[in-house]
Amino acid sequence: MSSTTTLQKAGDPTGNNGEGQPSDGLKAGLKNRHLSMIAIGGVIGAGLFVGSGGGIAKAGPAILISYALVGAMVVFVMRMLGEMAAASPNSGSFSAYADRALGRWAGFSIGWLYWFFWVVVLAVEATAGASILEGWIPAVPQWAWALIVMAVLTVTNLGSVASYGEFEFWFAGIKVVAIGAFVVVGMLAVFGFLPGSDNPGAGFAHLTDAGGFMPNGWGSILTGVLMVVFSFMGSEIVTLAAGESEDPRRAVTKATNSVIWRIGVFYLGSIFIVLTLLPWNDKSIVEKGSYVAALDSIGIAHAGQIMNVIVLTAVLSCLNSGLYTASRMAFSLGERGDAPKAFAKVSKRGVPTAAILGSVVFGFIAVYFNYAYKDTVFDFLLNSSGAIALFVWLVICLTQLRMRKILVREAPEKLTVKMWLFPYLTWATAAMITFVLGYMVYDDGNRKTVMLSLLVAAVVLIVGVFRDMRRKAALDA
């Protein structure tokens, strides 16, 4: 019997028993401080540190508009997801909600696509972390570092959900402190109030002194959107983790309510500092990376190595959360009968051991492909998972449109978090996501990614629909 059906029959859409423990065998081992930091750290990926320089080079100061547009889109998606998760915390999150609102085929399809996305991310982040570690200790080859990092975080996730939460608390904490310090120190330098700074501080002049605020035209904003959109993936992790927390409803409500300032400070705030410390066309922004270039301009010693430590922390955080997320989605799929039954079994410590191992095995295989067949097999994996983030967000929009009606009819008291301007803002967000996907098809640099992602999505969708048809036929027989 699926978890959705169980919850409906039990009359409790939360999926938790009276003591706050998940009714699916998982243990509520995440503390509120874990959830708070997972929520904050979920929007700070390595892409923010590594990829922002390219976006600045393409759009100039107008990249701030790109970040604001994508940030708004993520805020709206998280609000929709928060509405559903606060009413019904579930380890399958949007996959479980799509299962109920749109049909078994939808929950199956988006759940497996999301799992696929994260196991490919495991390989990407393991390789990125390994390259940094090899630079520090070259005696150990890069592939060995990748395996070591993957193995350590696998053991962490197998231990207990509390150990995952503790690791993520400190990983995310380092990122938060680093960006917070960067914003504060950078703002002092911008206005010439930082003692010993090598940067004279030009105030806001650099936003317009190199060809204006929009030096490459309006089109560069859309190009910037394509370059930054994927650095936001991960904000939805907190809704999966909420099912294993002490107070799921409170955790989800707090996380969704705070997403605006998190994106405002960590993304817009930090990029704003870079753009006010240096002209957007300064070559060092691309050559060194935006944050290293900004720190160098102030005169911070060993800025490159400091940023390497922070990027490594972001990579390890992403790996840790990626393995957790993939395993919980596999667990939920197994629980609903859409994955091997072994994935739905939990150990005495309350963790889905088979789901974790199944996810990490695929991650190890992807790491191997990255070294052995980088330009063929791994290139396909990377491109075919690239647009899945946007598919997930679009499905969340469509699911929320249906789930609102279900919740109003069956459990209106559970609507403690509500999407703003429903249904108009939900439709507007769905339209924006669809537009971004369409623009990716138009853009030469992203066409391959979106087409291969659509191909994989179509295959999974066909399998999901076929399984649903067989299931219905069996029930009618």
Side-chain angles (χ1 to χ4, degrees):
M1 182 181 294
S2 72
S3 59
T4 303
T5 306
T6 303
L7 298 182
Q8 288 174 317
K9 288 191 175 185
D12 176 13
T14 67
N16 289 63
N17 62 25
E19 298 177 353
Q21 291 288 343
S23 60
D24 50 15
L26 298 174
K27 288 188 177 180
L30 293 176
K31 295 178 168 53
N32 287 330
R33 66 181 178 87
H34 293 152
L35 261 292
S36 296
M37 201 57 77
I38 289 169
I40 295 172
V43 297
I44 310 173
L48 173 62
F49 300 106
V50 178
S52 55
I56 292 172
K58 286 288 185 181
I63 194 67
L64 288 170
I65 299 178
S66 302
Y67 273 105
L69 287 172
V70 178
M73 188 167 67
V74 172
V75 167
F76 297 149
V77 169
M78 280 298 294
R79 187 72 183 186
M80 296 176 223
L81 190 52
E83 175 181 298
M84 297 183 285
S88 178
N90 191 296
S91 60
S93 189
F94 51 82
S95 173
Y97 309 141
D99 193 313
R100 182 176 182 185
L102 304 178
R104 292 292 297 274
W105 59 270
F108 172 92
S109 302
I110 204 64
W112 276 114
L113 285 173
Y114 193 66
W115 177 86
F116 174 61
F117 170 85
W118 279 110
V119 292
V120 173
V121 166
L122 291 180
V124 174
E125 300 295 342
T127 304
S131 65
I132 295 174
L133 290 167
E134 185 189 31
W136 293 342
I137 309 177
V140 180
Q142 191 178 111
W143 65 265
W145 277 122
L147 293 181
I148 290 169
V149 168
M150 288 272 283
V152 169
L153 292 179
T154 299
V155 172
T156 300
N157 275 263
L158 286 172
S160 68
V161 69
S163 61
Y164 155 72
E166 200 63 32
F167 267 74
E168 190 56 25
F169 177 82
W170 291 105
F171 286 152
I174 292 172
K175 292 188 292 184
V176 169
V177 170
I179 293 184
F182 177 79
V183 170
V184 172
V185 171
M187 188 60 73
L188 290 173
V190 165
F191 293 103
F193 297 141
L194 184 67
S197 173
D198 293 344
N199 192 308
F204 300 142
H206 288 322
L207 294 176
T208 55
D209 65 3
F213 183 76
M214 205 175 296
N216 297 324
W218 286 95
S220 64
I221 294 176
L222 293 178
T223 302
V225 165
L226 299 188
M227 297 185 74
V228 307
V229 66
F230 302 109
S231 65
F232 283 84
M233 190 62 174
S235 54
E236 68 289 329
I237 291 174
V238 67
T239 62
L240 281 82
E244 295 177 80
S245 69
E246 297 170 338
D247 189 349
R249 192 168 289 111
R250 178 176 176 273
V252 168
T253 301
K254 185 177 179 181
T256 53
N257 286 340
S258 65
V259 71
I260 297 175
W261 73 259
R262 286 186 275 129
I263 288 175
V265 171
F266 298 126
Y267 278 86
L268 289 172
S270 61
I271 297 300
F272 177 80
I273 292 299
V274 173
L275 289 166
T276 48
L277 283 173
L278 294 166
W280 70 271
N281 55 0
D282 190 304
K283 292 182 180 179
S284 65
I285 291 177
V286 174
E287 293 172 355
K288 299 179 180 179
S290 56
Y291 292 86
V292 173
L295 291 173
D296 276 344
S297 77
I298 297 172
I300 302 295
H302 310 296
Q305 286 303 319
I306 292 172
M307 193 52 59
N308 272 339
V309 172
I310 297 170
V311 170
L312 179 62
T313 302
V315 164
L316 294 176
S317 172
C318 191
L319 265 173
N320 194 38
S321 289
L323 181 53
Y324 172 84
T325 305
S327 65
R328 286 339 184 249
M329 186 58 73
F331 167 80
S332 179
L333 288 166
E335 195 184 28
R336 286 177 274 149
D338 289 331
K341 291 182 179 179
F343 283 3
K345 295 181 179 179
V346 298
S347 68
K348 293 180 180 179
R349 295 181 296 275
V351 297
T353 303
I356 293 172
L357 293 176
S359 300
V360 82
V361 164
F362 194 96
F364 276 123
I365 293 172
V367 168
Y368 169 74
F369 285 144
N370 191 18
Y371 289 105
Y373 304 101
K374 184 177 181 65
D375 297 325
T376 53
V377 179
F378 190 73
D379 181 66
F380 171 79
L381 291 176
L382 202 58
N383 282 288
S384 61
S385 64
I388 286 175
L390 291 167
F391 298 163
V392 168
W393 293 345
L394 185 58
V395 168
I396 289 172
C397 294
L398 300 177
T399 300
Q400 191 260 340
L401 287 167
R402 296 288 300 275
M403 276 297 291
R404 168 67 76 89
K405 296 177 181 178
I406 294 172
L407 288 168
V408 167
R409 184 176 66 248
E410 297 183 6
E413 72 280 1
K414 302 296 183 183
L415 278 170
T416 55
V417 176
K418 289 186 178 181
M419 176 59 184
W420 306 296
L421 298 176
F422 177 84
Y424 309 108
L425 198 50
T426 299
W427 280 115
T429 305
M432 184 178 178
I433 295 169
T434 304
F435 174 80
V436 172
L437 284 167
Y439 192 73
M440 286 180 71
V441 175
Y442 170 79
D443 182 74
D444 291 338
N446 288 279
R447 187 176 300 119
K448 180 180 179 181
T449 295
V450 73
M451 296 309 292
L452 284 178
S453 295
L454 282 170
L455 174 63
V456 170
V459 171
V460 176
L461 182 61
I462 290 170
V463 173
V465 170
F466 179 71
R467 283 173 56 89
D468 207 17
M469 290 172 60
R470 284 188 59 185
R471 187 181 292 111
K472 289 177 180 178
L475 290 173
D476 293 339

